[in-house]
Amino acid sequence: MNCRMVVGDKKVKKVEMSDCTTKYGFRLVTTGYIPEEKTNDLSLLLATLLEKDSLSTDEEIQKFKKCCRKEGLIVCEKTFLNYEIKSELNSEETEQKEIASVTTYFHIHRTPKRWFNER
């Protein structure tokens, strides 16, 4: 699994996780307000997607968004299907084979209630 984080001003600004199976690759990119516990939830989401090994990711993503909504976070997401090289998705892979990949971009906002509670 590849995991990259951009950190600044005492908070995480961007998280990118990617991994692949023998048939498909998955990349999750998250920006906006990212609490530390959400990075754990993202890694669990990626593990679930790898276990299911299907290009249909709607059910898992909807569960993730619903969980975030319960915690006072609004999640906007866009999903794209493309082809990527296996070694770009997983640093342990050495194959230069192209596989189908699902890239999902999340942008997370706080609800006004959560924003005022944190201040």
Side-chain angles (χ1 to χ4, degrees), residues 3-17 28-43 73 106-110 114 118:
C3 182
R4 286 176 258 173
M5 290 187 185
V6 177
V7 180
D9 296 339
K10 303 177 186 175
K11 66 176 185 175
V12 178
K13 290 185 173 185
K14 180 179 179 181
V15 175
E16 182 176 339
M17 295 181 180
L28 303 175
V29 181
T30 308
T31 58
Y33 177 79
I34 308 168
E36 287 185 33
E37 63 270 7
K38 284 294 136 199
T39 57
N40 295 335
D41 292 348
L42 282 170
S43 62
L73 300 169
F106 295 106
H107 189 76
I108 301 177
H109 303 277
R110 289 178 282 189
R114 182 173 176 138
E118 288 180 356

Side-chain angles (χ1 to χ4, degrees), residues 44-60:
L44 290 174
L45 174 63
L46 183 60
T48 304
L49 293 174
L50 290 170
E51 183 180 303
K52 192 170 179 182
D53 197 19
S54 170
L55 289 178
S56 174
T57 60
D58 291 337
E59 185 178 319
E60 289 81 12

Side-chain angles (χ1 to χ4, degrees), residues 17-19 24-28 46 49-50 54 57 89 101-102:
M17 295 181 180
S18 62
D19 206 346
Y24 304 115
F26 301 95
R27 182 183 308 274
L28 303 175
L46 183 60
L49 293 174
L50 290 170
S54 170
T57 60
L89 293 169
S101 173
V102 177

Side-chain angles (χ1 to χ4, degrees), residues 69-83:
R69 207 173 310 123
K70 287 179 183 177
E71 296 175 9
L73 300 169
I74 301 168
V75 179
C76 303
E77 91 20 67
K78 291 182 182 178
T79 302
F80 300 98
L81 178 64
N82 52 5
Y83 287 92

Side-chain angles (χ1 to χ4, degrees), residues 86-87 90-97:
K86 259 183 142 175
S87 60
N90 189 340
S91 58
E92 297 170 1
E93 290 286 334
T94 57
E95 279 188 64
Q96 295 298 317
K97 181 182 172 188

